[in-house]
Amino acid sequence: MLKTERQQVGELCSGMDLKAEIRKMCKEKDAIILAHYYTIGDIQDIADFVGDSLALARKAAETDAKMMVMCGVHFMAETCKLLSPDKIVLCPDLNAGCSLADSCKAEDLKKFKDEHPGYQVISYVNTTAAVKALTDVVVTSGNAKKVVDQLPKDAKLIFGPDYNLGNYINEVTGRNMLLWNGGCHVHERFSVSKILELKEEYPDAVVMAHLECKAPVLAIADVKGSTATMLSYAQQSDKRQFIVATEAGILHEMQRTCPDRLFIPVPPEISESGLECSCNECQYMKMNTLEKVYACLKNESPQIKIDPKIAKKAVKPIERMLELS
């Protein structure tokens, strides 16, 4: 019987001190590990750098390392490759996708652009390289307002794919951007009712919500922003309790840097079937494991490859973002 990839990786790593072996290989191969806040704690613990999408993009652009392991989702590894085309970029699991990126296909965006001549396209970083190639400027949740504020007031703008983020940016900037109807399967499911229940239990807690959440959730949040914004607020605040409406992986870094404070994740909602759904965790981010990081470093595979024609176009809006932010 043929062994599954998971079985092969498990046998390869059996009995090892994986964290020590990974760090050893990084030194030997001049490699760095980049990890998003939404990955599991073990991955964040062995990473050279942990951050949100904007910080990871900046790190990818400036690193001198010969090799990068991007522990996050596929589009993040693509972004690293676009910004460092001469480096080896590894992705522990190519199946680690993104529901938000999947909600905007390049062929659909091209059709929408053709239907709206004269419009510039602002694409959230949670998109494929092919979508970025059709984009004028990329943004993250951390810099979207800053970037939009620098564009001409009379500019005709399409914003995608995250509808909730685009709606929030329209509200705070006074713009009237055309919004793509996409969303993150994690942030879309956070509910006002669950947050209010927690608020009753923890009346002194600060409610923090990611900008990918729906408008009613953002309306009751005390702090609205990216994962980095929420983390920074918690580190600088004199408050002791925080209700957190974003992917639960961020709590690892919050608790590590603020051990004397209480961070309460907004719990899964109850579906119509009566069962809980794990709406505060991204199954794609959780596909990154120590075993897979070890295997991809050892084998230097899977590597991220991007069509040169697409890469040439896709890198430009990312570089423009970095210039404007």
Side-chain angles (χ1 to χ4, degrees):
M1 181 184 293
L2 293 176
K3 294 179 181 178
T4 66
E5 181 182 358
R6 184 173 181 178
Q7 289 173 324
Q8 292 173 341
V9 171
E11 290 180 4
L12 178 67
C13 302
S14 178
M16 287 185 177
D17 181 346
L18 284 177
K19 290 184 178 181
E21 290 296 325
I22 287 169
R23 293 312 316 167
K24 180 182 176 183
M25 274 200 291
C26 283
K27 185 175 182 180
E28 293 171 349
K29 298 193 175 195
D30 189 17
I32 62 168
I33 297 173
L34 306 179
H36 194 276
Y37 288 129
Y38 294 164
T39 53
I40 61 174
D42 281 344
I43 294 292
Q44 295 184 46
D45 289 341
I46 53 98
D48 295 277
F49 184 80
V50 182
D52 64 358
S53 296
L54 177 58
L56 292 169
R58 285 175 171 157
K59 196 67 178 180
E62 69 185 25
T63 184
D64 293 325
K66 295 180 180 178
M67 185 183 299
M68 281 180 272
V69 181
M70 179 64 246
C71 297
V73 291
H74 189 268
F75 80 79
M76 295 179 179
E78 278 192 336
T79 301
C80 290
K81 186 63 176 179
L82 290 170
L83 290 169
S84 296
D86 297 329
K87 300 183 187 301
I88 295 173
V89 177
L90 305 175
C91 180
D93 193 326
L94 290 177
N95 292 315
C98 173
S99 59
L100 183 52
D102 289 344
S103 71
C104 184
K105 305 295 185 184
E107 56 269 28
D108 296 330
L109 179 60
K110 184 180 185 305
K111 180 181 178 183
F112 194 70
K113 281 185 66 176
D114 291 343
E115 292 170 351
H116 296 87
Y119 278 74
Q120 295 183 55
V121 175
I122 303 173
S123 286
Y124 196 25
V125 70
N126 299 43
T127 47
T128 64
V131 166
K132 290 180 175 71
L134 296 167
T135 297
D136 294 283
V137 61
V138 167
V139 296
T140 70
S141 55
N143 68 11
K145 180 181 182 302
K146 183 177 181 180
V147 170
V148 170
D149 277 339
Q150 295 179 71
L151 301 179
K153 296 297 182 182
D154 59 350
K156 296 180 179 180
L157 304 173
I158 293 169
F159 186 98
D162 193 276
Y163 179 90
N164 295 324
L165 175 60
N167 185 59
Y168 174 81
I169 298 302
N170 269 345
E171 180 182 332
V172 296
T173 63
R175 300 277 182 156
N176 188 30
M177 299 183 294
L178 296 181
L179 304 181
W180 191 268
N181 190 25
C184 166
H185 74 289
V186 175
H187 293 94
E188 282 271 301
R189 294 175 181 165
F190 287 119
S191 67
V192 170
S193 61
K194 287 294 183 182
I195 295 172
L196 292 179
E197 286 176 15
L198 286 175
K199 192 67 176 174
E200 286 186 12
E201 186 175 355
Y202 303 95
D204 297 327
V206 174
V207 176
M208 301 196 293
H210 196 281
L211 297 180
E212 291 177 24
C213 293
K214 291 181 178 180
V217 171
L218 293 177
I220 64 169
D222 303 298
V223 178
K224 311 170 185 65
S226 66
T227 46
T229 296
M230 288 186 275
L231 177 61
S232 177
Y233 181 90
Q235 292 169 338
Q236 298 174 32
S237 174
D238 58 359
K239 300 293 185 179
R240 314 316 281 178
Q241 298 178 342
F242 302 86
I243 295 169
V244 185
T246 191
E247 212 280 347
I250 186 62
L251 272 69
H252 180 78
E253 183 68 6
M254 286 178 169
Q255 205 67 72
R256 187 187 72 81
T257 58
C258 306
D260 59 336
R261 295 172 193 180
L262 177 64
F263 296 98
I264 308 123
V266 178
E269 66 182 2
I270 304 300
S271 68
E272 292 181 1
S273 65
L275 299 176
E276 286 192 343
C277 59
S278 298
C279 61
N280 63 352
E281 287 194 351
C282 174
Q283 69 266 33
Y284 300 115
M285 288 285 187
K286 269 47 179 183
M287 292 173 76
N288 293 275
T289 64
L290 291 177
E291 291 82 4
K292 291 176 184 176
V293 173
Y294 175 85
C296 82
L297 269 170
K298 182 176 178 61
N299 301 321
E300 298 186 10
S301 174
Q303 293 188 25
I304 296 297
K305 305 289 186 181
I306 304 174
D307 184 308
K309 292 181 180 179
I310 291 177
K312 184 177 180 180
K313 295 178 180 179
V315 72
K316 292 179 180 178
I318 303 175
E319 291 174 339
R320 189 179 181 200
M321 172 190 73
L322 295 176
E323 291 170 1
L324 294 176
S325 60

